[in-house]
Amino acid sequence: MIKSYVTGFARIGEQRELKRALEAYWSGKADEASLQKCAKELRVRHWKYQKDAGIDVISSNDFSFYDLVLDTIFTLGCVPPRFVGLSGLEQYFALARGSKNAVAMEMTKWFNTNYHYIVPELSRESKFSLNADKIIAEYTEAKTEAGIKTKINLIGPITFLALAKTTDGSDALEHLSRVCEVYAELLERISGLDDEILVQFDEPIFVTDRAESLLKNIVPVYSRLSRVSSSLKLIVATYFEHANEACKELVKSGVYGVALDFVYGEKNRDVLEVLAGSNLVLFAGVIDGRNIWKSDIDKKLALVNEIAAKIGKDRLFVGTSCSLLHVPYTLKYENKLSSEVKSWLSFGVEKLDEVAIVTALANKTELTSAQKATYEDNKTSAAARLNSPLIHDNAVQSRVASLDKFERSTPYAERIKLQKEALKYPELPTTTIGSFPQTAELRAVRNAYKKGLIDTAAYEADIKKYIDECIVFQEECGLDVLVHGEPERNDMVEYFGEQLKGYAFSENGWVQSYGSRCVKPPLLYGDVSRPEPMTVKWISYAQSKTDKIVKGMLTGPVTILNWSFVRDDLPRAQIAKQLALCIYDEIDDLQKAGIKIVQVDEAAFKEGYPLRRENIPAYEKFAVDCFKLSVSSAQPQTQIHTHMCYSEFNDIIKTIEAMDADVISIETARSGNELLKIFKQAGYKQEVGPGVYDIHSPRVPSVDELVAQIKALLEVLPKSQLWINPDCGLKTRKWDEVRPSLKNMTQAVRIIRGE
Ligand code: GLN
Ligand code: ZN
């Protein structure tokens, strides 16, 4: 018989309970006991959801207060030395968020998702020692509180080290055999908990191009770990792409099974023969763990039957393509979505039913009456979506089909001269990335307006008041290029989506982005167009309040696409063009309103990168074309900025240059100046604003520190090419942090300029 499984479940809570509990704890309003209580309630609730849906294999240790890679740093006892002296949760959160005396660890995106993990920081001197408490406690809790013998989820040793960075240029993988011994010790401890336990090692690094250099480690590591105890069944899990190469090694390693993604890694089919010829069991991820459309159950069933025909039912588990961390919790609270759009959707909890139904159908066992109803509904709604008039707009389709101009006509070298003449900004111009603190009052105003509790006039007056304050403060600081502060935006993608045709919004479709931060990706279900200007009113209001230049602020088409849940019935490149035209029109309107600089944020450009080299050229072409199309309405003297909040440009610097933005601001504060050297080596021509301080941390950088940072930048790039700005938007920070930080930043620039 085929069994069902779930790779992992979300933890933030369907009402974002964990977010609230964390923030209360951080602000000192709640103690550790209440945080722990909330965490426990969530874990138990999530286990029960899975159990009630009839899932056979349910995970523990998929819970985390912040991030599972961070948890693994504690499991392996490799906390960087600057955090010693702290203990318990205080130390735990210091790694993620920084403390008075220690800057936070680097954070970056988990493969091609919008989830962020903490980057392990190692050196040749790193020591490792086991701390198994959390893992054991969660297993025991699931057993006693929910009556479930869970599969224990771990981040695999190879992925952990491959994702680590080192502070001394050494190779983190040098620690592999030592780390492997710590994992062996962990397994030894786990094996005492029950007569038989499944242990899942997440090794998503195996689906990337880096796998090539890591393959040789698979057999030594996993055969060592497989030998620890006969009561443990080890599964190596990969997701987001195929893992053909790794599978060929894993069959020789003695592990019990592999978990493969058959949604985003269709090529995993190619190793079915290899697996069939081995004695491994297969955990086949067939239900999409990353998108929100209902699965076509009959199609999924056909896929499972095809797999079962090769592998055999007794060695097959059917489940989600990846952890359900990447989709919202449940449709239960969605009361405002149109019933038609809602009938097309399936969130985390609903996906549990899909897993159970597909498994039961493949086993030819009888469905429960609830499952029967879900299955019947499923058959009709998938077809109804594709034929719905809601998703087709002829005007949009023909505009895209008749495009003949795809980029700005004046080359950068000429544009920048015109811009410098027109804009007259000083050397080392200072600016910010767009948003200013989203205060509780601001959120309250937006919510009240949304709920109809205040009228448009009252709402706009409040937003304008905030813009006024932002402008006054920026002038006081002496910043050169100002922003309006984005008070009208809840989220940089949702805000635009809300004003575009073809989009729908969930009320509660939150997905964890990092720590307590969640995002609510909009649902792009149909052809997209812009009925009216989206930002012009606010930007021109801000501009009317100052003689300095106010930079317009838009989200780029690639980012809108990458941060939306996107229809799966049209090629992404096609959808991206529709979005690009919306931004194109907006830039045109901003210019007409007298705005001279427009920033088009492409925060998610990088995370859309395919994990496999073979797919990169196509993505790059599509993403660059799409960005260029979106800014091609800009006059030569209108300066186009873009912003990307990450720090790995090594492989993509030429692509970034090809986007042809006039200025790019990037994240460097957490990763040092290594990054800038890439810009220098590549002979990058356009202007660059490397973030001079880390906005993910509440810490206020001192003037001295910033002076040193700017001097270091000047060693790499010439003054004439540099802008000075923070790492990213300031929306998550408090005014008390932002005010002194920006004052110190402009002060540091004045010192450097010798004013
Ligand atoms: N302009 C946006 C902001 O400042 C950019 C955010 C981002 O890059 N994530 O909030
Ligand atoms: Zn950013």
Side-chain angles (χ1 to χ4, degrees):
M1 290 283 267
I2 302 172
K3 289 204 173 99
S4 59
Y5 76 97
V6 172
T7 316
F9 204 74
R11 56 227 175 201
I12 206 78
E14 63 197 35
Q15 305 271 28
R16 288 179 297 158
E17 293 89 337
L18 185 60
K19 172 193 179 66
R20 302 221 164 78
L22 283 168
E23 289 170 3
Y25 174 74
W26 291 336
S27 69
K29 285 189 200 119
D31 60 5
E32 179 171 345
S34 60
L35 177 61
Q36 295 288 3
K37 180 166 169 282
C38 166
K40 177 174 178 177
E41 280 166 12
L42 289 173
R43 286 190 296 263
V44 172
R45 188 198 296 164
H46 301 157
W47 285 322
K48 291 198 167 145
Y49 277 159
Q50 297 174 75
K51 193 177 171 188
D52 291 348
I55 302 297
D56 299 312
V57 179
I58 299 170
S59 321
S60 62
N61 203 40
D62 51 356
F63 178 84
S64 175
F65 276 125
Y66 205 95
D67 163 53
L68 288 167
V69 180
L70 176 61
D71 294 0
T72 309
I73 293 170
F74 283 89
T75 305
L76 299 175
C78 53
V79 171
R82 69 177 177 283
F83 299 100
V84 300
L86 299 172
S87 63
L89 277 186
E90 190 190 356
Q91 185 188 41
Y92 177 87
F93 290 125
L95 269 65
R97 310 176 71 230
S99 68
K100 243 201 339 265
N101 305 316
V103 288
M105 294 175 76
E106 192 179 327
M107 182 165 67
T108 196
K109 281 171 187 173
W110 181 244
F111 298 86
N112 56 359
T113 74
N114 184 29
Y115 173 77
H116 300 65
Y117 68 96
I118 300 290
V119 181
E121 209 177 288
L122 302 174
S123 73
R124 216 164 265 127
E125 263 69 65
S126 295
K127 299 267 179 301
F128 301 88
S129 62
L130 177 66
N131 182 346
D133 297 351
K134 171 184 184 269
I135 295 163
I136 291 173
E138 267 187 46
Y139 182 85
T140 315
E141 188 180 63
K143 214 171 143 181
T144 52
E145 305 287 326
I148 300 169
K149 286 191 180 184
T150 51
K151 149 171 83 72
I152 296 177
N153 286 9
L154 304 172
I155 304 282
I158 301 178
T159 294
F160 180 82
L161 291 175
L163 295 182
K165 66 170 192 179
T166 58
T167 48
D168 56 2
S170 59
D171 178 2
L173 280 137
E174 279 171 19
H175 296 294
L176 187 56
S177 51
R178 172 71 195 114
V179 165
C180 188
E181 288 314 304
V182 181
Y183 275 89
E185 211 183 310
L186 170 63
L187 293 181
E188 184 76 50
R189 292 278 305 281
I190 291 175
S191 68
L193 297 173
D194 250 312
D195 352 320
E196 189 185 288
I197 299 181
L198 287 169
V199 184
Q200 169 180 309
F201 288 85
D202 282 21
E203 291 281 18
I205 199 77
F206 293 168
V207 311
T208 68
D209 292 318
R210 282 195 62 190
E212 276 166 35
S213 61
L214 300 170
L215 291 176
K216 61 176 188 301
N217 299 309
I218 293 180
V219 172
V221 167
Y222 282 99
S223 57
R224 165 73 183 100
L225 296 179
S226 300
R227 281 197 307 271
V228 172
S229 163
S230 56
S231 69
L232 298 180
K233 295 181 157 176
L234 310 193
I235 308 151
V236 172
T238 62
Y239 30 79
F240 308 148
E241 250 295 358
H242 76 80
N244 287 358
E245 304 85 346
C247 280
K248 288 173 192 153
E249 298 300 313
L250 285 164
V251 293
K252 299 183 277 183
S253 72
V255 294
Y256 170 70
V258 289
L260 302 177
D261 177 341
F262 286 86
V263 178
Y264 296 90
E266 280 186 49
K267 268 186 113 179
N268 275 323
R269 283 189 164 104
D270 297 353
V271 286
L272 288 175
E273 307 285 343
V274 179
L275 292 175
S278 75
N279 56 0
L280 265 61
V281 305
L282 172 61
F283 289 72
V286 302
I287 299 298
D288 193 337
R290 291 187 64 172
N291 213 338
I292 42 72
W293 309 108
K294 271 183 188 162
S295 306
D296 182 331
I297 288 185
D298 285 333
K299 274 201 191 135
K300 299 295 178 187
L301 177 61
L303 173 61
V304 170
N305 285 336
E306 178 197 325
I307 297 171
K310 298 222 167 103
I311 300 287
K313 289 190 176 175
D314 294 333
R315 285 166 54 198
L316 184 58
F317 292 70
V318 164
T320 54
S321 68
C322 62
S323 165
L324 293 172
L325 174 68
H326 306 291
V327 288
Y329 270 82
T330 167
L331 286 165
K332 184 160 88 186
Y333 303 102
E334 302 301 334
N335 302 314
K336 291 198 187 134
L337 276 173
S338 89
S339 57
E340 185 170 359
V341 172
K342 190 174 169 184
S343 75
W344 302 335
L345 304 176
S346 165
F347 289 176
V349 171
E350 291 79 27
K351 283 172 191 287
L352 298 175
D353 292 328
E354 294 182 356
V355 169
I357 293 171
V358 172
T359 308
L361 291 170
N363 281 329
K364 300 199 164 60
T365 52
E366 179 141 15
L367 300 181
T368 66
S369 54
Q371 285 176 331
K372 265 186 207 148
T374 306
Y375 180 40
E376 281 315 311
D377 161 72
N378 181 280
K379 283 188 199 172
T380 48
S381 55
R385 171 157 79 96
L386 298 186
N387 299 320
S388 167
L390 266 188
I391 72 172
H392 302 290
D393 183 335
N394 288 334
V396 173
Q397 287 165 13
S398 53
R399 185 173 176 203
V400 168
S402 63
L403 278 173
D404 59 0
K405 178 174 176 274
F406 301 95
E407 58 188 356
R408 300 173 82 179
S409 28
T410 315
Y412 172 73
E414 282 171 45
R415 289 194 316 254
I416 193 72
K417 277 188 213 137
L418 296 172
Q419 291 165 14
K420 289 205 171 183
E421 260 167 50
L423 305 172
K424 298 191 177 59
Y425 48 77
E427 261 181 354
L428 299 176
T430 51
T431 191
T432 60
I433 306 304
S435 56
F436 271 90
Q438 292 269 330
T439 56
E441 300 85 73
L442 205 49
R443 274 193 291 268
V445 168
R446 277 202 312 264
N447 280 335
Y449 182 52
K450 237 184 185 162
K451 290 196 182 118
L453 303 174
I454 56 172
D455 64 10
T456 307
Y459 168 72
E460 295 196 345
D462 278 341
I463 296 292
K464 284 180 176 167
K465 196 170 131 235
Y466 186 94
I467 295 177
D468 292 343
E469 285 161 14
C470 283
I471 297 288
V472 169
F473 167 70
Q474 292 173 87
E475 288 193 325
E476 205 179 280
C477 252
L479 283 153
D480 299 308
V481 171
L482 314 193
V483 296
H484 77 298
E486 304 182 21
E488 77 288 12
R489 301 185 194 177
N490 35 355
D491 172 273
M492 65 185 286
V493 170
E494 190 177 51
Y495 177 75
F496 290 92
E498 274 174 350
Q499 303 186 68
L500 296 172
K501 232 182 109 207
Y503 263 104
F505 294 86
S506 64
E507 278 171 89
N508 201 50
W510 297 100
V511 179
Q512 187 178 18
S513 170
Y514 67 87
S516 67
R517 186 153 160 66
C518 299
V519 292
K520 188 148 62 75
L523 319 175
L524 192 167
Y525 65 85
D527 289 338
V528 181
S529 60
R530 185 199 73 141
E532 277 175 59
M534 304 181 282
T535 64
V536 178
K537 175 164 63 182
W538 303 122
I539 312 291
S540 28
Y541 175 76
Q543 184 65 83
S544 75
K545 292 287 171 169
T546 176
D547 294 332
K548 294 208 165 172
I549 298 171
V550 174
K551 170 165 78 165
M553 200 53 62
L554 306 174
T555 301
V558 180
T559 297
I560 297 185
L561 190 73
N562 284 342
W563 282 348
S564 300
F565 288 119
V566 176
R567 62 196 284 193
D568 51 4
D569 61 318
L570 202 69
R572 282 173 86 82
Q574 200 68 12
I575 306 168
K577 275 195 191 129
Q578 298 180 358
L579 283 167
L581 288 174
C582 300
I583 301 302
Y584 176 103
D585 292 343
E586 187 71 15
I587 294 177
D588 203 28
D589 285 333
L590 283 167
Q591 268 174 169
K592 286 180 186 146
I595 300 305
K596 299 189 161 61
I597 301 185
V598 182
Q599 178 172 311
V600 180
D601 290 326
E602 283 294 16
F605 193 87
K606 179 84 189 290
E607 75 190 38
Y609 260 72
L611 298 167
R612 295 252 174 198
R613 210 175 288 130
E614 66 222 39
N615 304 322
I616 288 179
Y619 174 79
E620 287 184 331
K621 180 160 178 11
F622 132 78
V624 169
D625 284 356
C626 178
F627 182 85
K628 280 165 64 178
L629 172 62
S630 71
V631 301
S632 62
S633 53
Q635 301 296 323
Q637 63 276 19
T638 300
Q639 189 167 65
I640 296 292
H641 288 217
T642 188
H643 165 70
M644 298 190 175
C645 28
Y646 35 81
S647 52
E648 278 160 33
F649 289 88
N650 303 36
D651 306 333
I652 65 168
I653 188 76
K654 285 288 160 200
T655 308
I656 299 299
E657 189 168 49
M659 290 168 72
D660 197 31
D662 302 309
V663 182
I664 181 172
S665 59
I666 52 174
E667 177 187 309
T668 31
R670 278 195 187 197
S671 51
N673 294 333
E674 278 313 298
L675 162 63
L676 267 199
K677 295 191 183 144
I678 317 280
F679 281 78
K680 184 174 184 169
Q681 279 156 18
Y684 189 87
K685 302 271 171 339
Q686 295 100 313
E687 304 196 344
V688 189
V692 292
Y693 76 88
D694 176 16
I695 64 91
H696 298 96
S697 156
R699 210 175 142 269
V700 174
S702 69
V703 176
D704 289 350
E705 205 178 314
L706 288 162
V707 167
Q709 175 76 6
I710 297 167
K711 282 190 177 154
L713 299 178
L714 286 167
E715 310 232 314
V716 189
L717 286 179
K719 245 188 205 163
S720 57
Q721 207 179 350
L722 279 174
W723 285 66
I724 304 299
N725 45 257
D727 251 6
C728 192
L730 304 166
K731 65 192 276 188
T732 55
R733 296 270 61 92
K734 298 199 166 62
W735 273 110
D736 286 348
E737 297 150 3
V738 165
R739 276 196 203 95
S741 298
L742 287 180
K743 283 190 174 155
N744 289 354
M745 185 182 92
T746 47
Q747 177 61 17
V749 170
R750 278 191 288 270
I751 292 173
I752 303 265
R753 285 179 188 152
E755 283 166 24

